[in-house]
Amino acid sequence: MKFAGSLPLTDSEKAIYEIIGVPFDDNATIRGASKAPEMIRRASQRLETFLWHSKLELSDLLYYDRGDLHDITDLDIDTGKRKIFIGGDHSISYPLFRYYFERLGLTKVVVIDAHADFRDVYVGNRFSNACVMRRIAELAGFENVIEIGVRSASWEEYEFMKKRVRILDVDDMPEEQELEGRLYLSIDIDVLDPGIAPGVEYPEPCGISLEALIRLVRTIIKRGDVVACDIVEVNPELDIKNGITCLNAARLVFEVLASYWLKDHKSS
C-alpha cells in the first residue's frame, strides 16, 4: 500500500518529494515500531488529501512513496529530493543523518522530542533509541544540534548536554540564523501528549497538541532548508483501537509535504 496521494509507479520519476518507510525497531526496548510504516500508510487512506487550512490538494504536489528500506546499514538514497522517512524507532535517525553528513556535509539537526535521548549507553547498547541524539551530536558537532520540546531526561543527560546543545521549549522558536542552511529534522511522535498519541514506547505526560506541533514544523521548514525529515516512535501495537497515533502521524506527513511545497514555491 502506498501513502495516500502518492504518484503511481509509472509517474514516479516526476516526483519532487519522496516518502520512505524504515520498519526497524531492533534498538527499542519494547518492539512494535517496525510495523509503523505500514499502519501509518493505512491511516493516511482515512484522511482527505485536501488540506483545508492550506487550501492544498496534496496529490498535486508530486510525491512518491518508494516503499520500505529494509537494510538501514546499506543505504542508497537520492539526496537531491526532499525526503520524509517513516520509522521505526528513533535510532534510525543516526544512520540516516550520517548518510547525509557523509554525502552532503550536512551538520545541522533539529529534533522535536519529549526525551533528550542523550544517554551514552542504555541497556548495554550505545545505539539505543535512548542514545540517538548523543551519537548524532558527536558526528555533527554539539553546537549544530537543537532540541525542542524535551520534558524528560536523566540528571546525567541534563548535566552533560545543558552547556553543549541548544535546548528550547515548544513555545520558543529557534532564531532565524540558527536555521540557516541545510538541516535534518527529526520528529519523535511522543512529543505529543499521550492523550492523542498513546501508541509510543515511553509516553510522557504533559505533551503538546498536534496543532502546536504542526505550527512548529511549518515554521522550521519555512525558515530553514530541511533536506530530510523523519517521523519516528509510532508503535501500532501500543496504540488504541481507533489508531489515533498512526492517524496523527499520517497527518503530520501530509503537513511536512505541504510545508516542503510552500517552501519551494512560495518562499519570499
Side-chain angles (χ1 to χ4, degrees):
M1 177 179 292
K2 298 292 186 186
F3 214 89
S6 169
L7 289 166
L9 176 61
T10 52
D11 292 331
S12 61
E13 295 308 313
K14 298 177 182 177
I16 303 172
Y17 315 115
E18 293 181 338
I19 298 171
I20 300 173
V22 189
F24 180 88
D25 60 8
D26 288 6
N27 288 319
T29 53
I30 301 175
R31 301 294 179 87
S34 62
K35 298 180 180 178
E38 175 188 357
M39 298 309 294
I40 294 172
R41 288 183 177 105
R42 290 184 181 277
S44 76
Q45 302 295 327
R46 297 162 58 191
L47 297 171
E48 295 286 354
T49 55
F50 178 70
L51 291 186
W52 179 264
H53 294 294
S54 301
K55 302 300 185 286
L56 286 176
E57 171 51 50
L58 290 165
S59 60
D60 293 337
L61 305 192
L62 300 179
Y63 58 92
Y64 180 61
D65 182 347
R66 291 204 169 275
D68 288 344
L69 176 67
H70 291 285
D71 187 355
I72 201 168
T73 63
D74 186 24
L75 297 175
D76 185 15
I77 302 166
D78 173 11
T79 56
K81 297 178 180 179
R82 298 190 199 273
K83 301 281 192 298
I84 303 174
F85 296 99
I86 308 172
D89 74 66
H90 206 167
S91 72
I92 71 167
S93 300
Y94 176 69
L96 291 172
F97 170 74
R98 185 178 61 193
Y99 188 87
Y100 283 91
F101 175 83
E102 291 172 348
R103 283 156 182 79
L104 294 183
L106 189 66
T107 57
K108 291 187 179 180
V109 183
V110 177
V111 59
I112 306 171
D113 195 341
H115 305 96
D117 290 344
F118 236 81
R119 296 178 186 269
D120 187 40
V121 63
Y122 187 68
V123 196
N125 183 1
R126 296 185 72 249
F127 294 94
S128 162
N129 53 356
C131 308
V132 61
M133 292 313 301
R134 180 80 164 257
R135 300 289 86 82
I136 287 176
E138 289 168 350
L139 185 62
F142 292 91
E143 71 281 4
N144 291 316
V145 173
I146 299 174
E147 293 215 359
I148 304 176
V150 174
R151 58 186 189 272
S152 176
S154 69
W155 175 252
E156 290 79 11
E157 285 176 282
Y158 175 69
E159 281 295 294
F160 180 82
M161 66 188 293
K162 67 180 181 180
K163 293 183 179 179
R164 289 179 169 88
V165 303
R166 185 95 155 97
I167 307 171
L168 299 174
D169 291 331
V170 290
D171 293 330
D172 299 326
M173 183 58 58
E175 300 293 334
E176 294 222 21
Q177 62 268 24
E178 293 179 301
L179 297 176
E180 288 177 354
R182 297 174 297 185
L183 58 89
Y184 187 97
L185 174 63
S186 180
I187 306 168
D188 188 323
I189 205 73
D190 66 25
V191 75
L192 295 175
D193 190 84
I196 59 170
V200 299
E201 184 178 1
Y202 291 112
E204 192 64 39
C206 302
I208 67 172
S209 68
L210 183 62
E211 292 89 342
L213 177 56
I214 288 170
R215 285 195 299 270
L216 181 58
V217 169
R218 284 176 180 167
T219 302
I220 290 169
I221 294 175
K222 180 180 179 180
R223 293 182 179 178
D225 183 11
V226 176
V227 299
C229 170
D230 65 46
I231 297 170
V232 297
E233 289 294 337
V234 174
N235 188 326
E237 294 193 347
L238 299 175
D239 210 357
I240 59 176
K241 189 174 181 180
N242 68 3
I244 189 63
T245 312
C246 294
L247 196 69
N248 284 334
R251 176 58 186 268
L252 189 56
V253 171
F254 280 173
E255 293 290 345
V256 172
L257 287 167
S259 297
Y260 279 167
W261 191 90
L262 292 169
K263 170 74 173 181
D264 293 337
H265 293 82
K266 296 187 178 181
S267 57
S268 56

